[in-house]
Amino acid sequence: MTKQNAADPVSSITLVAPATESHPCSPDAIQDAPADQEPRYSLGRFLLGGTAVIAIALFAWPMLPRVYESTATLVLRPTDNEGQTDFAQAMRQPLDENSIISALDAFNSVDLAQNVIDANQLAMDDEFKVKQGLASKVHSVIISMLGSILPQTLARDTPLPAPKDMMAGNVSSADTRDAAKLRNNLWAKLVINRNRLSYTVNVGFRSTDPLKAAMLTKSLVSAYLDTQVKRKAENVEGMNRVLEDHVRQARDRANTSAAEMEAFLEKSGLIDQGAEISLEAQLSALSTELATARARSIDARTRADSLEVMKSKGTLESAPEVLASPTIQRLNQSLTESMSRLAVMSTESRNILEQAQVERDRIVASVRVESDNWAEREQLLSAEIDKIRQDMVERRKAGLHLDQLRREADNDAQVLADAQTRLKTRAPTLAALKPDAEVLSPATVPIRPIFPILPLYAAGSLGMAFLAGAGMNASAIRRDAKRLLKI
């Protein structure tokens, strides 16, 4: 069926015979051909093209792969190393934009990806495992062929980690080339969305299996929270190790100070408290004796000097010491008796007088010796007192040094007690650690796929059907387009 213009008059149709040897087709005949042979719009072709596209779309709909998305909702909150759970603190210490972006970038870390891969065994999963393409296969074949011909330095592939290095722990399984490709496949299906300008973010995965998408999301969130707690635990353990070292050093210093104080007590003799009392008693007694000796020495020296003066003047007989001497008194009595006799013998009197003179000289000498003895006693007592005083001074100095050692020992003991208290107060910290994020909505198994979407698929199919129908009338459309362009 062709579409005719209703305004054109009905005209007869002239048949033009095909050009043959006997009837050639001239240009005039062609020009006389009717104008209704130009391309026209056809509703049948339009419906045919559109119906074909819709039929293909209906046939392809059940075979399209379904993609499911499972996400978990997290809220980011600032916490300290102890995992502060006070929500008011989060309001007082808001996170800036850089902190939020850094927290979102942490979901793309290699450690988290490797944890998710290991937890779900994605290396053996057909959806995520590394598939060798045609180019890789050709490259492997060429390398294997060249490897048997050329030296190793000319034909070599990217070396894989040696088994002995992997067993020694120098190289992990995450350092291989396939592991990097596997992580890229995982990151390609990672979903991270931030809800407006809040601290709430949605993280998850897309997969053809709804259960797999939920499991991957749970593994990612669990690994993310565990990593934060592990990082804080490492910080706390590091601080605890520092505190333990501080406690150990403080204990060593306290023990050393106490040992030095005890050793000095024994060395200086201050440990014997009775020695100080004994020295004070000795000093008191010797001081009294020294005063007595000094008085006696002065008295004896004075008497000796007086006797020497009287001896030089010849008046020694009137000296009190001489008069008080029993020998002098006896000799004087003997002289008096001899003088009372009628016949006095000069020899006897002379002997008595000589004995008296010797006794007087002996008295003077004895007084001088007594004076010298008291002077020497005074010197000895003074020396002993000086020695006792020096000992007391040394003990006083030792006491001051002991006080300093005791203060140092007390300070070291106080430092040790403070360090032990800080270490004990940080003991339950590990059990109270919390991550910097809270799970508001855990990952669930999605019911509806995010691709394909039926309304969008239907709209796209109708659009493609319209384009296909229009393509079936492309000649007429092109003719009208040329006419419009000429206008």
Side-chain angles (χ1 to χ4, degrees):
M1 176 183 293
T2 59
K3 183 177 180 182
Q4 297 181 352
N5 192 346
D8 294 339
V10 179
S11 61
S12 60
I13 299 176
T14 305
L15 299 178
V16 181
T20 60
E21 294 180 357
S22 59
H23 300 282
C25 182
S26 62
D28 296 336
I30 296 175
Q31 291 179 359
D32 294 337
D36 56 356
Q37 290 186 357
E38 294 181 357
R40 297 177 179 276
Y41 291 99
S42 175
L43 181 59
R45 290 196 302 271
F46 180 83
L47 294 177
L48 178 61
T51 304
V53 171
I54 292 176
I56 294 174
L58 293 176
F59 177 76
W61 171 259
M63 295 184 293
L64 289 177
R66 267 58 176 173
V67 178
Y68 296 88
E69 180 179 297
S70 177
T71 59
T73 304
L74 304 179
V75 58
L76 304 178
R77 289 195 176 95
T79 59
D80 50 14
N81 288 332
E82 284 73 20
Q84 180 61 252
T85 57
D86 186 7
F87 294 154
Q89 181 186 8
M91 301 302 295
R92 293 192 302 268
Q93 299 178 358
L95 293 172
D96 58 0
E97 194 70 17
N98 297 331
S99 300
I100 297 175
I101 295 176
S102 300
L104 296 181
D105 291 340
F107 287 99
N108 293 314
S109 65
V110 176
D111 294 337
L112 287 181
Q114 195 62 37
N115 289 332
V116 175
I117 291 172
D118 296 339
N120 297 274
Q121 299 180 357
L122 298 183
M124 305 301 295
D125 192 279
D126 293 335
E127 185 179 357
F128 292 93
K129 71 180 182 180
V130 179
K131 299 178 179 63
Q132 190 175 10
L134 180 60
S136 300
K137 293 180 180 179
V138 173
H139 180 266
S140 301
V141 171
I142 294 175
I143 291 298
S144 62
M145 293 175 61
L146 293 178
S148 59
I149 301 174
L150 299 179
Q152 183 67 22
T153 55
L154 297 179
R156 66 172 181 267
D157 197 359
T158 302
L160 295 176
K164 61 179 181 180
D165 293 337
M166 295 186 67
M167 294 179 64
N170 299 329
V171 179
S172 63
S173 59
D175 297 331
T176 61
R177 182 176 53 189
D178 291 341
K181 293 181 180 179
L182 183 59
R183 288 194 297 268
N184 291 332
N185 294 339
L186 181 66
W187 287 330
K189 299 187 177 183
L190 177 62
V191 178
I192 300 177
N193 295 323
R194 182 182 176 186
N195 295 334
R196 300 179 301 281
L197 296 178
S198 65
Y199 295 160
T200 306
V201 295
N202 296 327
V203 294
F205 283 98
R206 293 173 180 173
S207 176
T208 57
D209 186 1
L211 181 59
K212 185 191 301 182
M215 294 300 295
L216 293 178
T217 303
K218 291 180 180 179
S219 301
L220 177 65
V221 173
S222 178
Y224 177 75
L225 300 179
D226 293 343
T227 300
Q228 288 188 342
V229 174
K230 182 180 179 181
R231 173 178 55 81
K232 293 184 178 182
E234 291 176 354
N235 294 337
V236 172
E237 289 177 355
M239 182 59 68
N240 289 341
R241 285 193 296 269
V242 172
L243 290 178
E244 289 175 357
D245 294 338
H246 185 59
V247 169
R248 190 180 302 106
Q249 294 175 1
R251 184 181 293 108
D252 294 339
R253 288 196 300 269
N255 294 335
T256 302
S257 301
E260 290 179 356
M261 184 182 66
E262 293 178 358
F264 184 78
L265 273 174
E266 295 178 359
K267 180 180 178 180
S268 61
L270 295 178
I271 193 171
D272 184 9
Q273 297 295 332
E276 184 73 20
I277 299 175
S278 177
L279 288 176
E280 291 178 355
Q282 291 178 17
L283 180 62
S284 177
L286 291 177
S287 297
T288 303
E289 291 183 7
L290 176 62
T292 303
R294 184 167 296 173
R296 295 287 183 89
S297 175
I298 292 173
D299 180 65
R301 187 169 59 253
T302 302
R303 289 189 295 112
D305 294 340
S306 299
L307 292 175
E308 292 287 345
V309 172
M310 294 178 71
K311 181 179 179 180
S312 62
K313 290 181 179 182
T315 60
L316 187 61
E317 293 84 358
S318 61
E321 290 81 359
V322 174
L323 295 176
S325 174
T327 303
I328 295 298
Q329 293 177 1
R330 189 178 63 253
L331 291 174
N332 289 334
Q333 185 177 0
S334 298
L335 181 61
T336 302
E337 291 177 354
S338 63
M339 293 294 295
S340 62
R341 297 190 189 99
L342 295 176
V344 179
M345 297 182 66
S346 59
T347 305
E348 182 180 0
S349 298
R350 190 170 51 253
N351 290 335
I352 292 173
L353 291 175
E354 291 177 353
Q355 291 178 359
Q357 185 63 35
V358 171
E359 181 64 19
R360 286 194 293 271
D361 293 338
R362 187 190 65 78
I363 290 173
V364 173
S366 64
V367 173
R368 177 62 62 184
V369 169
E370 182 183 3
S371 174
D372 294 339
N373 290 336
W374 282 113
E376 183 179 2
R377 182 178 178 82
E378 180 184 359
Q379 293 178 356
L380 293 176
L381 289 174
S382 298
E384 188 66 23
I385 289 174
D386 292 339
K387 182 179 179 182
I388 293 176
R389 286 179 176 176
Q390 185 65 30
D391 292 342
M392 295 182 70
V393 169
E394 294 296 331
R395 289 181 65 88
R396 182 59 180 171
K397 292 180 179 179
L400 296 176
H401 186 61
L402 178 62
D403 293 339
Q404 181 180 359
L405 293 179
R406 184 177 286 108
R407 286 193 298 269
E408 292 179 356
D410 294 340
N411 293 335
D412 293 338
Q414 185 63 35
V415 170
L416 176 60
D418 294 341
Q420 290 176 343
T421 302
R422 291 182 59 189
L423 183 60
K424 290 180 180 179
T425 54
R426 292 184 62 89
T429 303
L430 290 176
L433 289 179
K434 294 184 181 299
D436 294 339
E438 181 183 357
V439 180
L440 294 182
S441 177
T444 58
V445 179
I447 301 176
R448 297 182 181 85
I450 62 171
F451 177 85
I453 302 175
L454 183 57
L456 296 179
Y457 185 80
S461 299
L462 292 176
M464 293 299 295
F466 180 80
L467 293 176
M472 297 297 291
N473 295 280
S475 300
I477 295 174
R478 185 166 54 252
R479 180 201 61 198
D480 294 340
K482 289 179 179 179
R483 290 177 179 175
L484 291 174
L485 292 176
K486 290 179 180 180
I487 296 175

